[in-house]
Amino acid sequence: MDTVQLEIRAGAGGEEANLFARDLFRMYQRFAEKSKWDFKALGDLEALIKGENVFGFLQHEAGVHRVQRIPKTERYGRIHTSTASVAVLKKDEVQEIKITPNDLRIDTYRSSGPGGQHVNKTSSAVRITHLPTGMVVACQDGRSQLANREKAMMTLEQRLVNLEKERFAKAIREERKDQVGAAERSEKIRTYNFPQNRITDHRLNQSWQNLDQVLEGGLERIIRSLNQKGGDSK
């Protein structure tokens, strides 16, 4: 079972781009329903999709989508061109933190500061160095070496968890940026031409005359063609 985060953002084209982004969001929701996937909206134009081989099906949907149509507010019947970006981010879980004894160097030393003779005359303070990351945690608050060691380990584990979360978040940001670029019209991977009821995937150099069906979630033929080709060129 895969879980992906779908994010859609309006690009060039003002209000028409916002409307197109919502059309795409609805299209993917319909496709998820047809595929028997779990579709959970997270907010405005974001969703978690969970199901069998979700990422394998949707990975080539990432990029800039372009629409050509006459907006409802257009007085003179002119066709407008707008864009929206789609990001498909695989939601790998943050890796579990595993600390082995070989990863640690533990030093003890005499505490300094307030605490009386007991604190100053015994080596109760503990310094733990996590060798793979170089992270150092020290504790001298407790009255025993064991207490300080336990507290230092708890602090180290929490800091390593936070470090992994930051690494994961950075990887997601970089992947999102690689997928959507600047959402300019020239970056398009697909064009939705409403006047001609035509959808064209520029990576395949192929068109279909069933735009209305595609927007209702009928993406199977396009996705199958992309998976066969590998979606290797934009």
Side-chain angles (χ1 to χ4, degrees):
M1 298 285 283
D2 290 343
T3 300
V4 303
Q5 182 163 326
L6 174 73
E7 299 180 1
I8 301 177
R9 298 288 182 270
E15 181 57 28
E16 177 63 11
N18 286 318
L19 294 173
F20 178 50
R22 296 186 182 281
D23 289 339
L24 291 178
F25 189 78
R26 181 177 179 274
M27 178 183 72
Y28 291 117
Q29 184 175 8
R30 295 288 185 269
F31 181 65
E33 292 170 353
K34 290 182 177 182
S35 302
K36 308 299 181 184
W37 294 335
D38 179 53
F39 187 97
K40 180 181 179 182
L42 299 177
D44 194 31
L45 302 180
E46 293 185 14
L48 281 181
I49 307 176
K50 184 176 182 180
E52 190 68 32
N53 199 26
V54 172
F55 185 74
F57 276 96
L58 295 182
Q59 59 181 321
H60 300 310
E61 292 302 297
V64 179
H65 296 237
R66 182 178 71 168
V67 63
Q68 295 175 321
R69 64 184 176 188
I70 302 172
K72 294 180 180 179
T73 56
E74 169 58 47
R75 296 182 180 180
Y76 304 106
R78 293 175 298 187
I79 297 174
H80 288 223
T81 300
S82 305
T83 65
S85 65
V86 175
V88 179
L89 307 170
K90 193 170 184 180
K91 294 292 288 183
D92 294 322
E93 296 294 332
V94 175
Q95 295 183 4
E96 181 182 355
I97 300 299
K98 296 181 179 179
I99 303 175
T100 66
N102 291 336
D103 291 339
L104 304 176
R105 185 178 71 239
I106 301 177
D107 302 306
T108 59
Y109 58 97
R110 291 187 179 184
S111 302
S112 60
Q117 293 182 343
H118 177 79
V119 173
N120 293 322
K121 292 183 178 181
T122 63
S123 298
S124 61
V126 174
R127 181 189 301 111
I128 301 179
T129 304
H130 185 249
L131 299 176
T133 62
M135 188 176 293
V136 179
V137 175
C139 183
Q140 63 177 18
D141 298 338
R143 292 181 61 84
S144 71
Q145 186 182 115
L146 178 60
N148 283 327
R149 179 168 175 161
E150 290 178 348
K151 185 174 181 180
M153 278 299 299
M154 290 176 60
T155 302
L156 176 63
E157 289 172 358
Q158 186 57 55
R159 290 183 181 178
L160 289 174
V161 167
N162 291 339
L163 183 66
E164 175 62 17
K165 288 181 178 179
E166 291 174 4
R167 182 205 64 78
F168 182 70
K170 181 180 179 181
I172 289 293
R173 289 195 298 269
E174 291 176 350
E175 178 65 17
R176 181 187 295 112
K177 183 178 180 181
D178 288 343
Q179 289 185 13
V180 305
E184 295 293 339
R185 295 178 177 89
S186 60
E187 298 175 307
K188 63 186 182 298
I189 63 170
R190 188 178 295 156
T191 294
Y192 303 72
N193 188 310
F194 276 70
Q196 299 179 20
N197 192 34
R198 184 182 71 229
I199 184 167
T200 300
D201 195 287
H202 302 287
R203 297 160 296 181
L204 297 169
N205 194 27
Q206 186 174 353
S207 298
W208 294 263
Q209 299 293 144
N210 64 336
L211 174 56
D212 52 344
Q213 296 175 20
V214 170
L215 290 175
E216 287 299 319
L219 282 162
E220 296 87 351
R221 291 174 60 193
I222 299 175
I223 288 178
R224 185 164 54 248
S225 297
L226 281 167
N227 284 339
Q228 289 173 351
K229 184 179 177 61
D232 52 358
S233 61
K234 294 185 179 181

